[in-house]
Amino acid sequence: MSDAFRRGVDRLSSDSKKWHLNPPDVLPLGLADMDFPSSDAVIQALVSRARHGVLGYPTDPSELRDVIVDRMRTRYSWQISRADILFLPCIDVGLSLACHGMSSRRRTLVICPPVYHSIRDLPGETGMEAIEVPLLHDRSEQYALDMPRLGEALAHGPAILVLCNPHNPVGRVFTVDELEDLARLCLANDVLVCSDEIHCDLVFDGRRHVPLAALEPELAARMVTLMSPSKGFNLSGLRFGFAIVQDPDLRRQVQEAHRGLVAGGNVMGYAAALAAYRDSDEWLVAALSTLERNRDALSEYVRNELRPMTMCPVEGTYLAWLDCRRISVPGNAHAFFLNQARVALSNGADFGPGGDGFVRLNFACTPDTLELALGRMKEALART
């Protein structure tokens, strides 16, 4: 492990939102960014761009388009064109724009909770009717899409399905078989799909992320796929993402949805994204190795020291979904660990139905920070 991943950086004395949401004695393992410095290539690109001295309106980032097209082809066997890419301020904005753009012929949103809060918020933001089809959760702590209930929901009428893959917060990376089944349901029921794939760079154990749109050209013509280097390369503060929309008419609808409301990316976001995708894959490999070790250490600690708490298998993302329903603590687990252990986690209830009694833990931190947080949690439980 390199020093950068072992020691991290001091974020408490920076402008980090994650480290300032709570008092300084609280260890923050909630908000989803990494405590690791970005790659040297990204930092050098930002410094170089700043030293130019003029930060005016950027032109279309032609080289970045080429790099993204090549990345989709080489990593996912997905052939897209330069014109298919729409640059965005961030994925949260992209989710809203995509659904607004699709909504002219669709008044229903189908989502699968527990799921990332920005997806949960979409019905309220768009004025659309929500149909929630909770994920299945079995005794192995594994989650899966509820295909029979999804089929019923999608047959209800023309709808938009919002998919999250890799899934936040449960950590699933859906298999080709699962995605093919989902594609068949969508095509059979005239469904449009918005797929949040922001964690696509963060998959473990030799798995391969598969974009849903890459599986079926007919479905790709009915999809908006959202991606960004922000999670995989720790660039969230630069507010940058992109949509891939292969159908020209649908792409035009999404573009019209943000006309006069938001611009595309920003000059520093473009520079960082290019350096990340073009020059930082070696950094990403090292980051994934560190995250896998943290995940494995966390899983072992929960299994041996925090029983009867359990941890769902983490196939992707750097977010662990911890089942606290069988531990005996006053109030909810999120408040208990914040107040009694001084460890800030994400409250599972914020992710919708199926989230009560769970917490989400971000293990993209130094091993020492993770060890300290887990020790505090163990001690707090011992005092109950």
Side-chain angles (χ1 to χ4, degrees):
M1 185 190 308
S2 73
D3 284 348
F5 295 107
R6 184 175 62 251
R7 291 187 288 103
V9 293
D10 175 16
R11 303 191 69 193
L12 192 57
S13 60
S14 76
D15 56 0
S16 167
K17 179 179 180 180
K18 175 180 174 182
W19 281 82
H20 287 279
L21 282 172
N22 298 285
D25 66 321
V26 173
L27 291 176
L29 301 184
L31 194 68
D33 68 10
M34 301 191 209
D35 287 338
F36 311 133
S38 298
S39 72
D40 289 344
V42 165
I43 294 169
Q44 290 167 10
L46 292 172
V47 169
S48 176
R49 187 64 189 83
R51 282 178 173 163
H52 179 268
V54 179
L55 302 176
Y57 296 120
T59 186
D60 187 87
S62 180
E63 185 179 2
L64 179 56
R65 287 186 184 275
D66 290 336
V67 166
I68 291 172
V69 168
D70 183 65
R71 192 173 186 84
M72 296 303 111
R73 178 181 56 80
T74 57
R75 291 179 75 90
Y76 309 125
S77 301
W78 185 16
Q79 190 63 53
I80 67 169
S81 73
R82 290 163 45 92
D84 297 338
I85 303 165
L86 300 178
F87 293 113
L88 303 165
C90 66
I91 298 304
D92 287 356
V93 169
L95 285 164
S96 184
L97 291 177
C99 291
H100 276 292
M102 293 174 166
S103 65
S104 60
R105 292 173 294 135
R106 301 289 193 274
R107 299 307 308 160
T108 302
L109 279 173
V110 178
I111 61 177
C112 300
V115 72
Y116 177 51
H117 62 83
S118 288
I119 292 177
R120 275 206 75 212
D121 293 343
L122 284 171
E125 292 176 356
T126 59
M128 301 178 73
E129 176 189 359
I131 299 179
E132 295 183 332
V133 182
L135 297 172
L136 292 173
H137 187 206
D138 63 25
R139 291 183 178 179
S140 71
E141 301 297 330
Q142 185 63 279
Y143 281 83
L145 295 167
D146 189 338
M147 294 298 181
R149 288 192 61 189
L150 270 173
E152 293 173 6
L154 297 177
H156 221 264
I160 300 169
L161 172 67
V162 184
L163 179 68
C164 187
N165 180 39
H167 194 281
N168 173 11
V170 308
R172 275 302 317 279
V173 176
F174 295 118
T175 66
V176 171
D177 288 345
E178 289 173 296
L179 294 174
E180 287 178 341
D181 288 345
L182 183 62
R184 283 191 287 270
L185 282 179
C186 292
L187 288 172
N189 291 285
D190 187 28
V191 173
L192 299 179
V193 181
C194 176
S195 186
D196 174 3
E197 303 185 12
I198 192 173
H199 289 96
C200 59
D201 293 306
L202 299 168
V203 296
F204 303 127
D205 306 316
R207 290 180 179 83
R208 180 171 173 265
H209 172 72
V210 179
L212 180 61
L215 287 177
E216 175 56 61
E218 187 179 352
L219 183 61
R222 310 170 65 81
M223 283 191 63
V224 175
T225 301
L226 300 170
M227 292 182 173
S228 172
S230 65
K231 296 301 182 186
F233 296 90
N234 204 27
L235 308 176
S236 297
L238 289 172
R239 312 296 286 173
F240 173 83
F242 58 93
I244 298 174
V245 193
Q246 293 181 275
D247 179 75
D249 290 335
L250 181 56
R251 188 163 62 247
R252 190 159 41 250
Q253 290 172 11
V254 175
Q255 287 175 310
E256 286 294 327
H258 71 71
R259 194 175 302 279
L261 295 176
V262 296
N266 65 83
V267 64
M268 302 305 274
Y270 288 144
L274 179 59
Y277 282 155
R278 186 188 61 194
D279 305 320
S280 301
D281 278 340
E282 185 176 338
W283 180 95
L284 179 60
V285 169
L288 286 169
S289 178
T290 300
L291 293 173
E292 281 194 349
R293 282 193 292 269
N294 280 1
R295 177 204 60 177
D296 294 345
L298 171 61
S299 178
E300 182 178 2
Y301 196 95
V302 170
R303 185 170 56 251
N304 294 331
E305 305 295 340
L306 298 180
R307 289 179 297 178
M309 185 190 301
T310 57
M311 173 176 156
C312 300
V314 181
E315 300 173 344
T317 80
Y318 45 70
L319 305 167
W321 190 234
L322 303 179
D323 187 346
C324 304
R325 291 175 296 176
R326 290 183 290 275
I327 64 175
S328 179
V329 298
N332 65 61
H334 167 261
F336 172 79
F337 287 122
L338 177 60
N339 296 322
Q340 301 302 318
R342 311 305 285 164
V343 175
L345 308 169
S346 297
N347 189 354
D350 294 340
F351 297 92
D356 283 331
F358 288 79
V359 293
R360 190 190 72 175
L361 185 153
N362 173 0
F363 56 85
C365 57
T366 67
D368 287 348
T369 298
L370 182 60
E371 181 180 356
L372 179 59
L374 293 174
R376 288 186 184 184
M377 293 167 68
K378 178 182 177 181
E379 290 173 4
L381 288 172
R383 293 192 298 267
T384 59

